[in-house]
Amino acid sequence: MEQQKYQIFTLDKRPDFIEQTYELNQTAWPEFMLHDKIADTYWEELIADFSRFQVCVCDRDEKVIAVGNTIPFIWDGRIESLPAGWDRVFEYGMQAREKSSSATALSALGIAVHPAYRNQGISNMLLREMRKLVENNQFQAFVAPVRPILKSKYPLTPIENYILWHREDNAPFDPWIRLHWKLGAKILCPIQKSMVIKGTVNEWEEWTNMRFPETGQYIVPGALQPIKIDVEKNFGIYEDPNIWMRHI
């Protein structure tokens, strides 16, 4: 990738890019992933209160082509005291803000890259910019609840097994885990319920463009493990498994 073709900003420097980052994030994930209650509750506040920790990449025409979202939070460095995934680290970060506490770590929340610009090293560039945020703000750690991108092809494989898969060169099997690993990140532990999404049966049918005629577990495109549907209670739940990885 030719670096001069792109510019990198934090959103406090370019608030005029905020709407474009919203639109990009909306198109980057499966529909059902956009209905997480924690994100619904806090996303606008994240952008407003932590704009200097949101990184975006734009092209020469000032079109946002990628965005990396992060949040500061309080962590003592022990694996056992890590938040229980994406939902909880987001919530902890917002609570730390409300208590005017001093954050000690930075967590990635996600990276979204426009489809036309994928596989050009932009995710790598965003992760490096996140690491700079850690150094510039003197945080003690940089972690990420990594969502392995190929896990959706193996929804019946437990996450604790999947993270042990490697290629012949001993690099991690999953490309997204591998990208973090190449930048020096280490796997800390699997996260069983990183993001929890709930809805009625009708809502799940709308989100997935599928029908769920009876109670049971269903494999849904884009989901890393089956979703659970209870027709009698008119309820569906999905628990997104991730992996805690530590860069710094």
Side-chain angles (χ1 to χ4, degrees), residues 179-193:
L179 174 60
H180 287 262
W181 175 79
K182 285 182 177 179
L183 290 174
K186 296 181 179 180
I187 292 175
L188 298 181
C189 60
I191 314 168
Q192 301 295 341
K193 303 176 183 179

Side-chain angles (χ1 to χ4, degrees), residues 32-33 147 155-156 195 197-201 203-212 214-230 235-241:
F32 66 87
M33 294 287 290
R147 188 176 196 266
L156 302 182
M195 179 187 288
I197 300 167
K198 302 175 182 178
T200 66
V201 174
E203 286 175 329
W204 275 104
E205 290 181 343
E206 290 176 6
W207 298 341
T208 62
N209 196 28
M210 293 174 61
R211 292 295 307 277
F212 304 112
E214 63 181 40
T215 295
Q217 297 190 49
Y218 292 84
I219 293 174
V220 168
L224 306 192
Q225 62 184 5
I227 68 168
K228 300 173 184 177
I229 295 290
D230 190 320
F235 180 74
I237 185 170
Y238 170 67
E239 299 167 343
D240 199 54

Side-chain angles (χ1 to χ4, degrees), residues 94-108:
M94 301 310 290
Q95 290 172 350
R97 169 212 58 170
E98 292 163 1
K99 296 176 182 177
S100 299
S101 302
S102 297
T104 57
L106 188 72
S107 176

Side-chain angles (χ1 to χ4, degrees), residues 48-68:
D49 295 347
F50 293 107
S51 59
R52 65 192 182 99
F53 296 107
Q54 317 311 316
V55 185
C56 61
V57 180
C58 69
D59 62 14
R60 290 170 178 166
D61 298 321
E62 299 209 328
K63 173 186 175 182
V64 173
I65 61 171
V67 58

Side-chain angles (χ1 to χ4, degrees), residues 109-244:
L109 290 176
I111 287 177
V113 181
H114 189 284
Y117 294 87
R118 291 173 185 168
N119 301 314
Q120 296 184 34
I122 293 177
S123 293
N124 185 305
M125 181 166 57
L126 280 169
L127 283 170
R128 291 182 184 277
E129 288 299 312
M130 291 178 182
R131 291 173 67 115
K132 289 179 184 178
L133 289 175
V134 175
E135 296 163 4
N136 293 341
N137 290 276
Q138 299 182 322
F139 293 132
Q140 298 169 16
F142 172 42
V143 296
V146 176
R147 188 176 196 266
I149 59 176
L150 285 189
K151 177 68 172 68
S152 61
K153 294 186 176 183
Y154 308 92
L156 302 182
T157 300
I159 189 67
E160 57 268 26
N161 292 2
Y162 184 82
I163 63 176
L164 299 177
W165 293 3
H166 289 80
R167 302 191 309 180
E168 291 182 359
D169 61 1
N170 209 37
F173 169 81
D174 188 88
W176 192 226
I177 299 175
R178 190 162 63 246
L179 174 60
H180 287 262
W181 175 79
K182 285 182 177 179
L183 290 174
K186 296 181 179 180
I187 292 175
L188 298 181
C189 60
I191 314 168
Q192 301 295 341
K193 303 176 183 179
S194 189
M195 179 187 288
V196 179
I197 300 167
K198 302 175 182 178
T200 66
V201 174
N202 285 341
E203 286 175 329
W204 275 104
E205 290 181 343
E206 290 176 6
W207 298 341
T208 62
N209 196 28
M210 293 174 61
R211 292 295 307 277
F212 304 112
E214 63 181 40
T215 295
Q217 297 190 49
Y218 292 84
I219 293 174
V220 168
L224 306 192
Q225 62 184 5
I227 68 168
K228 300 173 184 177
I229 295 290
D230 190 320
V231 173
E232 290 73 27
K233 294 181 179 178
N234 191 27
F235 180 74
I237 185 170
Y238 170 67
E239 299 167 343
D240 199 54
N242 292 176
I243 303 152
W244 274 120

